Amino acid sequence: LIYYPKEKLALIGEELKDKGKAVPHSWYSLTIRRLVLICQNISSKYTRSKVRKSLPKEFSYILQELLHESGSMTNKNRYVNGIVETIIEIGEAEHFIEALGQVIQRLAVDRLHIVGDLFDRGAGSHLVMSALEQYQNFDIQFGNHDVLWIGAASGNEACMANILRICMRYGNLSVLEDGYGINLLPLAIFAMEVYKDDPCEAFGPRLEEGTTLSEKTRRLIAQMHKAISILQFKLEADIIRRHPEFAMDDRLLLDKIDFAKGICRIHGRNYTLSDTHLPTVDPADPFRLSIEEQELIEQISHSFVSSQKLKKHISLLLEHGSMYLIYNGNLLYHASVPMNDDGSFREVSILGETFSGKALLDRVDKLVRTAFGAGHQVWSGADAGFAEKMSRLTDEQRFALDYVWYLWCGQDSPLFDKDKMTTFERYFLKDKAITTEHKGAYYKFRNDPLAVDRILDAFGVHGSHRHIVNGHTPIHTSKGESPMKAGGKLLVIDGGFSKPYQRETGIAGYTLVYHSRGMQLVEHQPFTSTADAIRKGTDIRSTRHLVEMRSERILIRQTDKGHEIEQRIEDLRRLLFAYRQGLIREGRS
């Protein structure tokens, strides 16, 4: 009722209507009083000012009266009962119950931290972003999937192709078409023409359990999937050849294919191809876009950069997002801080300068924002052509537009940190041993308490109760893997909220809860559907794991917010002293 008030009330009404009854007056009265009690309890840790700001305007006055009711005052009790009875009599009970549910939702979580990959292979990223637009207090630490969407919204065509490929792979067209208005018709027409006689067996969509598609639709998605994959490899090759400093020549594989023998030669070894029907790949110039492919990518680009909803959501992501966050003694970032095999911070070259540790993440954060600004500058307005606008960009802006793609899949990217992304190998080679992606040294050292302490020290995180919180690498709970590393100093809370991951992890994600007594890790079981939750009255089944419990409650004074308040108090004391000493005079308008 609290989280789905409108739907639950509708269900109750329908069930009673079928029996020829209406929702009784007494049910509304009891439900409102119970919700008020929950709201009183959940608002008890907040100031009245903060609670008041959380209340919907149409019921603000009434809710304030109810929330500050004292059961010991008989006359006040009668007054409050009168308010509840009046709400019911004038037919506003259901609207009031919805409002109470929304207030409880807002106050249940003071601040929400999302540790990356808000965008991924799930079908509802646009819905999550729309929900966050209405959320009162949240932050996001960029994940490599998030940066991929930032790159696409900035005009990076390789990022666009990767997004389309992932959506085709998981049959997730709704986020593109319904969510952001991306026109898939040009890709569909191109794919049907080029691959009309190709079964595209390896490119069929991986659908969620219970999802059904007609054979014709599955085949079309498979054709589109293959078409955009080849286009992706060509677009990525342009970036790789433009930037030898990325050291990604091993990802140039189309030119390693021997079509006559049906093999691909990688690192001096021949691998048998599982699919040799690549009609758009010219053996003489394998990375060249055909005229049709060039026209297609221009249409796709226009669709992405013209999407106002996508631009709005990416702006929201950048406004609330960052590469890392330090909050109440916790260091939050998505994937890693690149490290060498000896445990030292890896030095990464960017535009001729080297960065490592905290400085690297700060530099990357700036480049992500530079890319979006540069993309907006190139694609907006009609004062000049595309080529002229590109020529106006600085070297850093042009580099940033390519670097957002590197952050998605580059070896030294703090959002990826693997030796390679083996997309081509997974699709086209029979020997699956070559698809292994080796993680960077960070993933070995994140189990070492001393290494974790070095990272926390480098970021200036102090205190005896400090932690690192990561996402990025799914924890395979079904295989006995623990999300708690380095004796509980580092926590990896990626357990697979997205349904396609749940087959790998065995659960449906983690939530790390930080409250006045300490930390708890909540392990969620798969959520069947909203309809089931409403009809059966069941919540998401979860298991709580104790991470850290303190003997004394944490007070506001001990939090970052408390330090901020204390600093403001000290500033006001100094201001008052200066005024009383005559050092400053009262301002006059």
Side-chain angles (χ1 to χ4, degrees):
L1 187 65
I2 291 170
Y3 278 88
Y4 307 102
K6 185 177 293 186
E7 296 87 345
K8 185 67 176 179
L9 287 166
L11 179 64
I12 292 169
E14 287 170 12
E15 289 175 345
L16 288 171
K17 187 177 180 181
D18 290 341
K19 298 175 182 178
K21 299 178 181 179
V23 180
H25 188 290
S26 59
W27 184 87
Y28 284 129
S29 180
L30 180 62
T31 299
I32 289 173
R33 295 311 297 261
R34 284 176 170 173
L35 288 170
V36 168
L37 285 172
I38 294 171
C39 203
Q40 284 176 336
N41 183 281
I42 212 165
S43 64
S44 62
K45 289 190 179 184
Y46 299 103
T47 62
R48 288 194 178 191
S49 172
K50 184 161 185 172
V51 173
R52 188 168 59 248
K53 291 172 184 175
S54 299
L55 303 178
K57 290 181 180 179
E58 64 270 32
F59 293 116
S60 180
Y61 176 76
I62 296 171
L63 283 169
Q64 287 180 65
E65 291 292 307
L66 294 178
L67 291 179
H68 302 133
E69 170 200 0
S70 172
S72 61
M73 298 172 63
T74 306
N75 291 334
K76 184 68 180 288
N77 230 340
R78 290 175 183 166
Y79 167 64
V80 168
N81 286 335
I83 291 175
V84 174
E85 294 304 309
T86 303
I87 289 170
I88 299 168
E89 286 172 9
I90 64 174
E92 285 295 305
E94 295 197 357
H95 291 147
F96 191 67
I97 287 170
E98 288 177 31
L100 273 168
Q102 289 165 5
V103 172
I104 293 168
Q105 288 180 45
R106 279 198 288 269
L107 297 178
V109 178
D110 181 47
R111 188 181 182 98
L112 178 66
H113 306 284
I114 303 170
V115 194
D117 281 356
L118 194 153
F119 289 92
D120 199 340
R121 59 192 69 176
S125 301
H126 60 295
L127 301 176
V128 176
M129 289 302 297
S130 293
L132 285 174
E133 286 182 290
Q134 310 303 319
Y135 205 78
Q136 74 278 14
N137 199 5
F138 71 96
D139 55 71
I140 303 166
Q141 290 72 61
F142 301 140
N144 59 326
H145 282 267
D146 303 321
V147 168
L148 190 67
W149 279 82
I150 293 172
S154 304
N156 185 301
E157 294 170 344
C159 291
M160 296 175 196
N162 270 280
I163 287 171
L164 289 169
R165 177 184 59 79
I166 293 168
C167 288
M168 298 301 152
R169 185 174 178 82
Y170 294 96
N172 177 18
L173 278 61
S174 62
V175 68
L176 295 168
E177 294 181 305
D178 303 333
Y180 295 116
I182 305 300
N183 184 9
L184 298 179
L185 184 60
L187 176 59
I189 293 171
F190 174 84
M192 285 190 292
E193 177 63 30
V194 174
Y195 297 100
K196 59 185 175 183
D197 299 321
D198 188 342
C200 299
E201 291 177 357
F203 294 88
R206 297 183 179 183
L207 302 175
E208 292 181 7
E209 188 177 342
T211 303
T212 58
L213 292 175
S214 69
E215 187 56 38
K216 187 176 181 180
T217 301
R218 289 175 66 94
R219 173 160 167 69
L220 176 57
I221 293 174
Q223 291 170 318
M224 295 166 72
H225 186 183
K226 186 172 183 179
I228 199 64
S229 297
I230 299 301
L231 189 55
Q232 172 192 314
F233 301 141
K234 291 183 178 184
L235 294 168
E236 289 177 337
D238 283 345
I239 297 176
I240 292 168
R241 292 188 292 188
R242 268 200 303 272
H243 297 280
E245 70 273 22
F246 288 174
M248 294 181 70
D249 283 356
D250 65 328
R251 296 294 83 211
L252 300 175
L253 296 173
L254 293 181
D255 60 343
K256 309 299 188 299
I257 295 174
D258 185 326
F259 287 92
K261 295 180 179 178
I263 60 171
C264 184
R265 190 165 182 79
I266 303 174
H267 301 307
R269 181 180 169 185
N270 293 332
Y271 291 89
T272 303
L273 290 166
S274 56
D275 184 347
T276 57
H277 184 65
L278 304 176
T280 64
V281 177
D282 179 0
D285 190 1
F287 298 114
R288 180 180 58 82
L289 295 180
S290 67
I291 295 174
E292 293 78 12
E293 284 177 318
Q294 186 62 54
E295 290 176 350
L296 173 62
I297 196 60
E298 287 174 4
Q299 291 171 311
I300 290 171
S301 296
H302 181 267
S303 198
F304 268 93
V305 298
S306 299
S307 172
Q308 290 304 306
K309 189 172 181 180
L310 177 59
K311 182 181 175 182
K312 182 180 180 183
H313 282 178
I314 297 303
S315 296
L316 183 74
L317 183 65
L318 289 165
E319 179 186 350
H320 291 269
S322 58
M323 282 295 295
Y324 67 90
L325 178 72
I326 299 169
Y327 200 84
N328 290 336
N330 301 294
L331 174 59
L332 287 68
Y333 52 82
H334 176 65
S336 80
V337 177
M339 302 177 82
N340 297 311
D341 290 335
D342 62 359
S344 60
F345 293 133
R346 189 174 180 86
E347 292 192 339
V348 178
S349 178
I350 297 176
L351 288 172
E353 294 184 73
T354 56
F355 301 88
S356 63
K358 179 178 179 294
L360 173 61
L361 269 66
D362 287 332
R363 186 70 176 98
V364 168
D365 191 291
K366 182 181 177 184
L367 283 170
V368 170
R369 298 174 196 282
T370 298
F372 188 65
H376 178 66
Q377 182 177 327
V378 169
W379 292 96
S380 64
D383 64 309
F386 179 83
E388 184 180 337
K389 287 183 179 180
M390 282 295 292
S391 69
R392 294 176 185 174
L393 297 181
T394 65
D395 289 343
E396 174 153 332
Q397 287 175 316
R398 280 191 289 270
F399 177 83
L401 283 170
D402 285 343
Y403 196 71
V404 282
W405 170 81
Y406 178 85
L407 289 171
W408 154 246
C409 61
Q411 181 173 359
D412 288 336
S413 164
L415 300 179
F416 181 64
D417 200 1
K418 297 180 186 178
D419 62 337
K420 57 184 175 292
M421 187 177 285
T422 56
T423 307
F424 176 88
E425 291 90 332
R426 289 195 298 271
Y427 285 144
F428 289 102
L429 301 186
K430 289 185 178 181
D431 187 349
K432 298 307 175 186
I434 197 173
T435 64
T436 302
E437 299 171 353
H438 299 284
K439 297 175 183 176
Y442 172 84
Y443 296 97
K444 175 180 70 175
F445 286 103
R446 71 180 182 179
N447 291 298
D448 181 353
L450 293 177
V452 171
D453 280 336
R454 285 200 300 273
I455 295 171
L456 289 164
D457 289 341
F459 280 80
V461 184
H462 306 294
S464 56
H465 298 280
R466 58 185 188 167
H467 308 85
I468 292 175
V469 183
N470 282 173
H472 190 53
T473 52
I475 297 297
H476 295 83
T477 306
S478 57
K479 298 179 182 177
E481 186 180 1
S482 171
M484 290 183 272
K485 314 290 184 184
K489 288 189 174 186
L490 187 148
L491 299 109
V492 184
I493 59 170
D494 188 342
F497 274 118
S498 176
K499 283 187 179 180
Y501 276 120
Q502 293 171 15
R503 292 188 291 268
E504 298 179 35
T505 63
I507 62 169
Y510 291 106
T511 302
L512 184 63
V513 182
Y514 180 82
H515 51 69
S516 63
R517 287 292 188 190
M519 273 186 169
Q520 285 182 306
L521 191 67
V522 184
E523 177 186 300
H524 305 297
Q525 294 305 309
F527 182 65
T528 53
S529 71
T530 301
D532 274 357
I534 295 165
R535 191 165 293 279
K536 298 176 182 177
T538 55
D539 200 351
I540 298 173
R541 290 182 294 116
S542 303
T543 305
R544 292 178 178 270
H545 303 279
L546 186 65
V547 176
E548 184 177 274
M549 195 60 72
R550 301 192 186 192
S551 57
E552 295 182 359
R553 296 181 84 104
I554 305 164
L555 304 177
I556 291 293
R557 181 185 295 275
Q558 297 164 280
T559 68
D560 290 350
K561 187 67 178 177
H563 299 325
E564 181 186 319
I565 292 170
E566 285 187 324
Q567 184 59 54
R568 288 169 61 192
I569 291 170
E570 180 58 27
D571 290 344
L572 287 169
R573 290 186 191 280
R574 293 187 178 201
L575 189 65
L576 179 61
F577 175 81
Y579 173 71
R580 286 176 172 172
Q581 296 298 314
L583 299 175
I584 59 173
R585 301 174 67 180
E586 184 177 356
R588 290 180 171 83
S589 57

